C-alpha cells in the first residue's frame, strides 16, 4: 500500500544504488561535528520507538547498519551514512523525539540539534518523517511538521509498522494522515506505507530517496 507511484525503471535503479556500498561515516553530537557538506543528504526523523533504525536497515538491505534497541531514544546524535562509491548521497539518522522518560535537559539538547540541523543544512534535500501506523500523527509529530513548514524544508511522511495494524484500521490512519499532509505547505502529497518486517513499501521508499536527491 502506497500512494507514491514509481516506474519499474525507477524502482530497479534505486535498488541498485542501495545494493551498493553503504558505510557509516560519523556521529555528530553537535553542529560543529557535522561532516563537510559535500553530498546531498536525506534525513530521517521520527518519534522514539517509531521503528526508524529498523526501517533504515531494511532500506539499506542490511541487518545492522543502524542500531536498533528495545530502549526507545537510544539514538542521541546525528548519524551519517555514505551511500555509493564514489559517494552519491548521505542518509542521516536523527535522534528520536518525544521520548517522555528522557531527562528534560537531554530532550532539549536533542531538539536543538535536530532543529538547527534541519533549518541550516543547505545540502539537505528532503526530510522523511516517520509516522507509526498504529497511532497516526500525534501532537509531538505536529511540532516537527510545523517546524519543517516554517523552515521551508521539504518532507514526505512515511508510515511505519504497517504489518502491526488491521487493514481497515491502517486504511483509516493513512487517510487521516494524507488529509493532514495536504494541509501542510512543505509536505509531499504522497505517503509511503512501509513495514520493515515484510518489506512493504521499501522499494518505493528507495525510489523516493533517489528522486529527492535529483
Amino acid at each position: 500500500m502506497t500512494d507514491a507511484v514509481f516506474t519499474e525503471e525507477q524502482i530497479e535503479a534505486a535498488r541498485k544504488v542501495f545494493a551498493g556500498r553503504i558505510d557509516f561515516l560519523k556521529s555528530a553530537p553537535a553542529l560543529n561535528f557535522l561532516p563537510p557538506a559535500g553530498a546531498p543528504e536525506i534525513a530521517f526523523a521520527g518519534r522514539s520507538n517509531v521503528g526508524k533504525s529498523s526501517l533504515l536497515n531494511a532500506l539499506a538491505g542490511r541487518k545492522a547498519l543502524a542500531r536498533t534497541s528495545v530502549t526507545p531514544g537510544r539514538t542521541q546524535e546525528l548519524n551519517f551514512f555514505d551511500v555509493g562509491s564514489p559517494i552519491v548521497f548521505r542518509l542521516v539518522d536523527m535522534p528520536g523525539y518525544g521520548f517522555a522518560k528522557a531527562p528534560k535537559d537531554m530532550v532539549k539538547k536533542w531538539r536543538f540539534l535536530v532543529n538547527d540541523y534541519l533549518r541550516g543544512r543547505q545540502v539537505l534535500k528532503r526530510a522523511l518523517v516517520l509516522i507509526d501506523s498504529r497511532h497516526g500523527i500525534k501532537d509531538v509529530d505536529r511540532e516537527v511538521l510545523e517546524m519543517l513548514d516554517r523552515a521551508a524544508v521539504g518532507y514526505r511522511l512515511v508510515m511505519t509498522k504497517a504489518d502491526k495494524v488491521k487493514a481497515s484500521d491502517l486504511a483509516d490512519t493513512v487517510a487521516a494522515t494524507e488529509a493532514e499532509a495536504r494541509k501542510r505547505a512543505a509536505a509531499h502529497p504522497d505517503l509511503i506505507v512501509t513495514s520493515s518486517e515484510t518489506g512493504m513499501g521499501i522499494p518505493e521508499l528507495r525510489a523516493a530517496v533517489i528522486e529527492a536527491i535529483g
Side-chain angles (χ1 to χ4, degrees):
M1 171 190 274
T2 178
D3 286 336
V5 178
F6 298 98
T7 66
E8 291 184 12
E9 290 78 10
Q10 288 175 300
I11 294 286
E12 177 60 15
R15 185 196 67 78
K16 288 181 177 178
V17 171
F18 279 93
R21 187 163 181 168
I22 303 179
D23 296 307
F24 172 73
L25 174 63
K26 68 179 300 185
S27 294
L31 292 186
N32 56 309
F33 290 93
L34 294 180
E41 293 174 358
I42 302 293
F44 287 74
R47 292 197 310 271
S48 298
N49 205 29
V50 76
K52 182 157 50 66
S53 294
S54 296
L55 188 67
L56 277 165
N57 289 334
L59 190 71
R62 290 152 174 82
K63 292 183 178 179
L65 180 74
R67 296 181 305 178
T68 58
S69 173
V70 294
T71 305
R74 182 173 174 181
T75 302
Q76 300 176 21
E77 302 172 339
L78 296 170
N79 293 312
F80 291 80
F81 301 89
D82 286 350
V83 180
S85 181
I87 182 173
V88 179
F89 62 94
R90 287 191 176 117
L91 300 175
V92 186
D93 182 12
M94 297 195 296
Y97 55 82
F99 183 44
K101 294 182 181 179
K104 287 185 178 180
D105 59 339
M106 185 176 291
V107 171
K108 188 175 181 180
K109 178 184 175 184
W110 293 354
R111 179 161 298 195
F112 277 126
L113 177 63
V114 169
N115 287 2
D116 290 348
Y117 167 76
L118 289 174
R119 297 181 69 156
R121 190 69 165 172
Q122 300 219 337
V123 291
L124 176 62
K125 295 299 183 181
R126 179 157 294 163
L128 299 175
V129 183
L130 310 189
I131 303 296
D132 193 322
S133 294
R134 299 170 300 179
H135 308 301
I137 297 178
K138 290 190 171 183
D139 286 343
V140 69
D141 298 310
R142 291 185 179 95
E143 292 178 17
V144 173
L145 301 186
E146 287 165 7
M147 184 271 295
L148 290 167
D149 286 335
R150 288 194 301 269
V153 174
Y155 60 92
R156 187 194 285 265
L157 300 181
V158 178
M159 310 295 290
T160 64
K161 302 186 180 184
D163 60 298
K164 308 297 185 186
V165 185
K166 291 191 303 182
S168 57
D169 292 340
L170 179 62
D172 290 343
T173 303
V174 168
T177 305
E178 283 179 329
E180 185 148 351
R182 285 195 293 268
K183 298 175 184 176
R184 296 192 170 274
H188 194 288
D190 296 332
L191 302 185
I192 298 179
V193 182
T194 69
S195 165
S196 57
E197 292 286 332
T198 68
M200 175 196 295
I202 299 301
E204 290 81 9
L205 184 56
R206 290 174 180 150
V209 168
I210 301 301
E211 179 186 62
I213 65 172

